[in-house]
């Protein structure tokens, strides 16, 4: 079922969605893909949620030692981190056709997480265009909302279902999918006050975030991560967002990824590159998007909204 559309024999990038129903279907589809890659002596990365990871390892037996395994619930907690990890794996095996299984959406994901993971799926097609790689993305059609499965048909050129491989008639350009992911951000319960800042006030922004975080359930380490991320976002405002911005913070109580803190930063900037922050910046680059990259590495979820009026970053930091 999988060898034909996922073989990458032509040297082009291949990005199929595998629609599965139950564990037996999952093991047959994903396990078959992995076995085919191992038989061809091709490097394989499997990044799926922990329970699926364990089932695949057991099913593959001794062959599992030839696979690089990653728990997607950790790697993909913030979907903005996934793409760089996939590209790093492919880069480590330059000159060979990398084979990757990536399952960024699973039952229980919050709506915000699903939107950012869907954005990630669309951007894969841009980031890997022209590379000799195949990224197989499993979707649990019994456990996921119909809208998520429908979006998978838009983000994957090829669909694998019921032992058939088909071109997706609903496949859409990444810019169109990403625009649809830009749903309005909901207002925090009870509201939250804004603090405006401009040049010379970066230390005040950091102090404001630190003072707020001390009154929350965040650990000292998590507070430090939040202050660092906020500082990077505010510095970007001053350097690239018109020289000023505004920030507000509020606590969350067990919704989505869990209790924690949200920091929202707004400025007059624009995001010219939709892959900014999702690709590891080059060391030699004078302006490689390092701030946004660091923010993605530090936070549990990053929501970005770009409009004619400016840029909004909503940074989520949970207690664990």
């Amino acid at each position: 079922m999988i060898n034909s559309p996922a073989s990458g024999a032509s040297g082009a990038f291949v990005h199929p969605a595998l629609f599965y129903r139950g564990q037996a279907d999952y093991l047959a589809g994903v396990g078959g893909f992995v076995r085919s890659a191992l038989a061809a002596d091709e490097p394989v990365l499997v990044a799926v949620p922990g329970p699926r990871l364990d089932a695949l390892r057991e099913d593959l037996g001794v062959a599992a030692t030839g696979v690089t395994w990653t728990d997607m619930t950790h790697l993909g907690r913030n979907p903005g981190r996934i793409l760089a990890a996939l590209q790093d794996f492919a880069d480590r095996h330059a000159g060979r056709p990398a084979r990757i299984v990536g399952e960024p959406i699973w039952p229980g994901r919050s709506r915000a997480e699903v939107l950012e993971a869907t954005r990630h799926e669309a951007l894969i097609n841009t980031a890997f265009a022209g590379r000799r790689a195949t990224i197989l993305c499993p979707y649990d059609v019994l456990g996921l909302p119909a809208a998520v499965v429908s979006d998978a048909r838009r983000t994957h050129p090829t669909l694998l279902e019921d032992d058939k491989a088909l071109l997706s008639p609903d496949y859409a350009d990444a810019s169109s999918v990403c625009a649809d992911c830009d749903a309005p951000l909901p207002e925090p319960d009870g509201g939250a006050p804004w603090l405006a800042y401009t040049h010379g006030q970066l230390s005040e922004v950091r102090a404001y975030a630190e003072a707020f975080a001390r009154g929350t359930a965040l650990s000292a380490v998590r507070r430090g991560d939040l202050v660092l991320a906020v500082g990077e976002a505010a510095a970007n405002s001053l350097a690239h967002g018109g020289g000023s911005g505004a920030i507000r913070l509020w606590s969350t109580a067990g919704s989505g990824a869990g209790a924690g803190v949200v920091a929202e930063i707004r400025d007059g900037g624009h995001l010219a590159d939709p892959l900014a922050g999702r690709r590891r910046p080059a060391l030699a680059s004078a302006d490689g998007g390092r701030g946004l990259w660091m923010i993605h590495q530090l936070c549990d979820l990053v929501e970005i909204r770009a409009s004619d009026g400016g840029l909004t970053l909503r940074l989520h930091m949970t207690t664990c």
Side-chain angles (χ1 to χ4, degrees):
M1 174 180 68
I2 293 182
N3 289 352
S4 175
S7 64
S10 66
F13 175 56
V14 184
H15 186 205
L18 170 67
F19 296 138
Y20 68 91
R21 294 173 173 80
Q23 182 155 296
D25 201 15
Y26 187 87
L27 295 177
V30 178
F33 174 81
V34 173
R35 287 187 177 90
S36 175
L38 291 173
D41 193 30
E42 295 168 347
V44 186
L45 168 66
V46 175
V48 300
R52 298 296 190 197
L53 209 66
D54 295 338
L56 281 167
R57 277 180 168 146
E58 182 178 352
D59 185 64
L60 288 168
V62 295
T65 58
V67 178
T68 299
W69 301 94
T70 299
D71 187 341
M72 185 60 93
T73 61
H74 298 303
L75 169 64
R77 184 172 188 173
N78 172 11
R81 297 179 193 152
I82 303 173
L83 183 56
L86 306 190
Q87 289 188 308
D88 285 349
F89 178 80
D91 289 344
R92 289 198 302 272
H93 301 280
R96 301 174 67 192
R99 300 290 174 256
I100 298 169
V101 181
E103 188 169 4
I105 304 178
W106 56 88
R109 280 284 222 182
S110 71
R111 170 171 166 74
E113 291 166 345
V114 167
L115 285 175
E116 294 308 315
T118 299
R119 189 191 307 274
H120 154 76
E121 287 279 56
L123 291 173
I124 281 178
N125 300 303
T126 300
F128 275 83
R131 297 196 67 161
R132 293 182 65 204
T134 299
I135 301 179
L136 176 73
C137 301
Y139 280 81
D140 181 357
V141 296
L142 298 180
L144 292 171
V148 171
V149 177
S150 179
D151 280 337
R153 299 179 185 277
R154 301 181 66 214
T155 55
H156 295 79
T158 307
L159 309 176
L160 307 174
E161 186 174 20
D162 298 329
D163 293 327
K164 296 178 182 178
L166 303 170
L167 295 178
S168 175
D170 301 317
Y171 178 64
D173 182 80
S175 61
S176 176
V177 176
C178 290
D180 290 339
C181 290
D182 286 337
L185 294 170
E187 283 295 305
D189 293 338
W194 288 97
L195 173 71
Y197 58 88
T198 187
H199 288 292
Q201 296 181 313
L202 188 55
S203 61
E204 294 178 27
V205 173
R206 293 194 183 103
Y208 181 70
E210 170 62 26
F212 182 90
R214 279 200 301 268
T216 71
L218 292 181
S219 67
V221 172
R222 297 261 74 192
R223 290 200 304 269
D225 289 343
L226 176 68
V227 173
L228 184 54
V230 164
E232 290 294 332
N236 277 351
S237 295
L238 301 179
H240 310 293
S244 63
I247 181 174
R248 60 178 176 173
L249 299 100
W250 64 91
S251 296
T252 58
S255 61
V261 174
V262 178
E264 183 172 311
I265 297 92
R266 293 183 183 176
D267 58 44
H270 299 280
L271 193 65
D273 180 6
L275 292 170
R278 293 173 180 264
R279 296 186 292 195
R280 187 184 299 276
L283 293 176
S285 174
D287 180 20
R290 290 189 182 88
L292 192 51
W293 160 263
M294 186 175 294
I295 289 167
H296 272 297
Q297 304 312 303
L298 292 167
C299 297
D300 297 309
L301 178 66
V302 178
E303 299 178 88
I304 301 176
R305 298 293 185 270
S307 68
D308 293 339
L311 192 66
T312 298
L313 270 66
R314 186 169 283 192
L315 316 180
H316 298 248
M317 193 73 68
T318 59
T319 56
C320 57

